Amino acid sequence: MRLARLAYQATARSGGAGVECRIRSGRFDRGAAAIRRRRLPLSRGAALALTDQLFPETVVPVLVPLPSDRPYSYTVPEGMSVRPGSIVQVPLGPRQVAGVVWDGPTDGVEAKKLRPITHVFDCPPLDETMRRFVDWVAEYTLSPPGLVVRMALRAPAAFDPEPWLEGIEATGEAPDRLTPARRRVIVAAEEAPAWSKSGLAHAAGVSASVVDGLLRQGVFRTARFPPPPAVAEPDTGFGRAALSEDQARAAGALVSAVEGGAFAPILLEGATGSGKTEVYFEAVAAALDAGRQVLILLPEIALTQSFIDRFHARFGAPPAEWHSDVPPRKREAIWRQVAEGRVRIVAGARSSLFLPFRELGLVVVDEEHDPAYKQEDRTFYHARDMAVVRASLGGFPIVLASATPSVESRVNAETGRYAHVRLKARHGDAALPELSLVDMRRHPPLRGHFVSPVLKTSIREAFARGEQALLFLNRRGYAPLTLCRVCGHRFQCRNCSTWLVDHRLRGILQCHHCGFSMPRPEACPECGTLDHLVACGPGVERIAEEIVEDFPEARTIVLSSDIAGGPRRLRRELEAVADGETDIVIGTQLVAKGHHFPKMTLVGAIDADLGLANGDPRAAERTFQLLHQVTGRAGRTGLASRGLIQTYQPQHPVMQALVAADPESFYESEIDERRRSGLPPFGRLAAIIVSADSRKDAESHAREIRAAAPETAEIEMLGPAEAPLAVVRGRHRFRLLVEASRRAPLQAYLRETLARAPRPRGSVQLQIDVDPQSFL
């Protein structure tokens, strides 16, 4: 239906006669009829064509949250007002979907062939910075823009305003008779301007009938109130910490960057326990005082509660949380209030980077080196790197904090791209633990055991002193492999090319890639032999079994990401450790970072070589970071502490750098190796993962992509090769690796390759991973 949205005065000329035609508003069909009523020598079709020229319809591009590579065009109905960034509802096939009015031209389709926008949501639009950020992420990662904008539209129920609440408020009138119960209600009501009826009754300790009586007498009246804030307003002067001279210097550098109000990437590096959090809290306070919003990224949900507690102690109120464990209603309220500017600070996982902040003025990436910041599903992106991009587009500072920065961040700091702020010592009386290596060739454990006698002796000594010990093994479950002693049968996942992990406490064998599980059998399914299944290798549950056997009087706890009860129970267990309610903690990498355990004086790394036993080019870096972080859990309150690292490779550069407490030598050698090999950050990598229901289809399509790759001196494509995890969730996988120089047009090369290659057929699927962190 053709519509005219405004009043126009137009001059139509036909056959040389000038005729003035006034169309006030309304439908174009009525406009055409008006032209005919004025006896213009025009047919209905010609009149409609003339009306189209006089009153053209507005056509806008709308980006919908689907895997589309461009916005779709829609018309704007009469009386509707939209602009770039407006969140709207549009028809897409038989469905109605939410989308965002985007920038740029439309696809040129005639307006009469397009469908109209059906609704404009009453919420703040995505601002220009956010829209540019979505386009940048899509361009860099070669992801459909629709999938990227989908991450910004994670709370569709929040697009409409939050409903107002029904409540009561005082009128100032007095009741005809003031009983003790009524007096308690009136006194309680003075504590806040608005109450729900049941809430006021509960606060005053009376029944709801007392409040009803006061309502009937006019002491209170019903009223509607705006929805409450998702979190309280932070008070920047509430719990300001006393900083050391070193911390004050570092905090001053960060605050100056915030006050400068311009893009400024800063690497905040300091030993574990040096007070990095207190330092960047000063920058957070400065941003809040300047009327800006703040985003703090955390790599793990397990870190959230301890961080929330520290933030609450500093600012008198918690930040808004944003992660998968937040209830849907709470997420909707946070999304809406972030867009409105009512929520001033958010602490969350990598997805919080796509929240529609109204006045974002500072981003902090805590534990910036952590691999958990890499998303490897749908849109492949690294939240740390994309956070730097968002700060650059928005023109505000970003702080990257870590005790063991990534090699990429260290190189950026050394070359001057990032400012480098260091904290050289632990805060207060705390000292770094004394680290030593346990050569497992000279001090092997007993047969069937995995903890060296040297480490057990240290555990016994710490327990006798009433102190805590932490045993670290980055392997979940009881054992990574179960086999039959008689026939050699190994239990493998039916959907993946991986062994099933024995979870003895739950009585199951489980795949950690697809989730498949089966009850732990008593007999071998291959030969039928009973009681001859053996667990190979240790997991944290097996280490716990050994420790309970050797230290039955100690309070032992296992901490792992797959603990029964999920994140809530994990938080309670971490609080119990921090409160000194356990003696020996056995945990995976989630205990390695960000936790403060006051009584922890001994840390033992059980299988320190585990991370070095693969071909990942980042293996040495990750092993160094993980062991440095986990040993840093000891001695944070000034008690003498030790770290023992069990290894079969004591001469490895990573081990030597750790025991020498010389991270600079490690970074120097690792950076030199990366430079000579042309690996990031001195070169660029991209992976193309081809998967299909059959191995033949996956390999065939991967070879077609390789054949389509253009020849260039700066970029080389390697492969295809079967992925180390060749089958995942029933899909066969082949990988191609693209190596490029630092300045090579990698994205253009990938686009040209995919354009020249055949389109995926049948079950074949492609995934593009620019800057891969995993090579499995």
Side-chain angles (χ1 to χ4, degrees), residues 437-468:
L437 301 177
V438 178
D439 189 339
M440 297 296 280
R441 298 168 299 182
R442 297 177 57 190
H443 305 285
L446 298 175
R447 184 178 177 84
H449 287 215
F450 300 92
V451 182
S452 165
V454 175
L455 180 52
K456 286 186 179 179
T457 299
S458 296
I459 295 172
R460 190 169 288 107
E461 292 171 352
F463 179 64
R465 296 191 300 267
E467 298 166 356
Q468 291 176 317

Side-chain angles (χ1 to χ4, degrees), residues 267-270 276 367-370 384 400-411 413 420-422 621 624-625 628-629 663-664 666-667:
L267 175 61
L268 176 61
E269 181 179 357
K276 293 183 293 297
E367 306 290 353
E368 66 87 28
H369 66 278
D370 199 291
R384 177 199 64 214
L400 309 176
S402 177
T404 54
S406 63
V407 170
E408 288 85 348
S409 294
R410 278 294 297 255
V411 170
H420 198 179
V421 177
R422 293 175 181 263
E621 177 189 4
F624 174 82
Q625 290 168 338
H628 189 283
Q629 291 277 344
E664 293 305 315
F666 167 75
Y667 280 112

Side-chain angles (χ1 to χ4, degrees), residues 191-208:
E191 297 178 6
W195 291 85
S196 68
K197 194 163 58 173
S198 59
L200 181 57
H202 179 76
V206 301
S207 66

Side-chain angles (χ1 to χ4, degrees), residues 12-183:
R13 295 186 177 274
S14 176
V19 180
E20 185 178 81
C21 173
R22 293 179 183 271
I23 310 282
R24 294 294 180 189
S25 64
R27 303 183 185 278
F28 271 107
D29 280 340
R30 291 206 301 269
I35 292 174
R36 293 201 306 277
R37 281 199 301 273
R38 280 155 179 76
R39 298 181 180 178
L40 286 171
L42 297 174
S43 66
R44 182 180 185 278
L48 287 173
L50 177 60
T51 308
D52 282 343
Q53 297 175 20
L54 297 177
F55 314 111
E57 292 182 82
T58 302
V59 178
V60 295
V62 177
L63 190 58
V64 295
L66 297 170
S68 56
D69 57 2
R70 60 179 177 81
Y72 298 142
S73 295
Y74 289 89
T75 58
V76 181
E78 176 185 10
M80 181 182 289
S81 177
V82 299
R83 61 187 178 93
S86 296
I87 300 177
V88 297
Q89 180 178 281
V90 294
L92 190 68
R95 299 180 296 157
Q96 294 285 334
V97 300
V100 182
V101 177
W102 215 244
D103 306 272
T106 59
D107 53 17
V109 178
E110 293 182 47
K112 62 184 178 183
K113 297 181 180 180
L114 299 175
R115 303 170 75 179
I117 294 173
T118 53
H119 179 64
V120 180
F121 291 102
D122 184 11
C123 69
L126 299 187
D127 64 15
E128 182 184 2
T129 299
M130 188 63 185
R131 300 195 304 275
R132 289 170 59 203
F133 179 62
V134 168
D135 284 336
W136 201 100
V137 173
E139 177 77 13
Y140 186 83
T141 63
L142 274 73
S143 301
L147 286 185
V148 180
V149 83
R150 180 178 182 175
M151 294 188 286
L153 303 178
R154 286 286 180 88
F159 297 162
D160 286 316
E162 297 176 78
W164 282 44
L165 305 179
E166 297 291 337
I168 58 175
E169 62 182 1
T171 63
E173 299 292 330
D176 57 0
R177 186 167 57 89
L178 190 61
T179 65
R182 288 178 171 179
R183 180 181 291 108

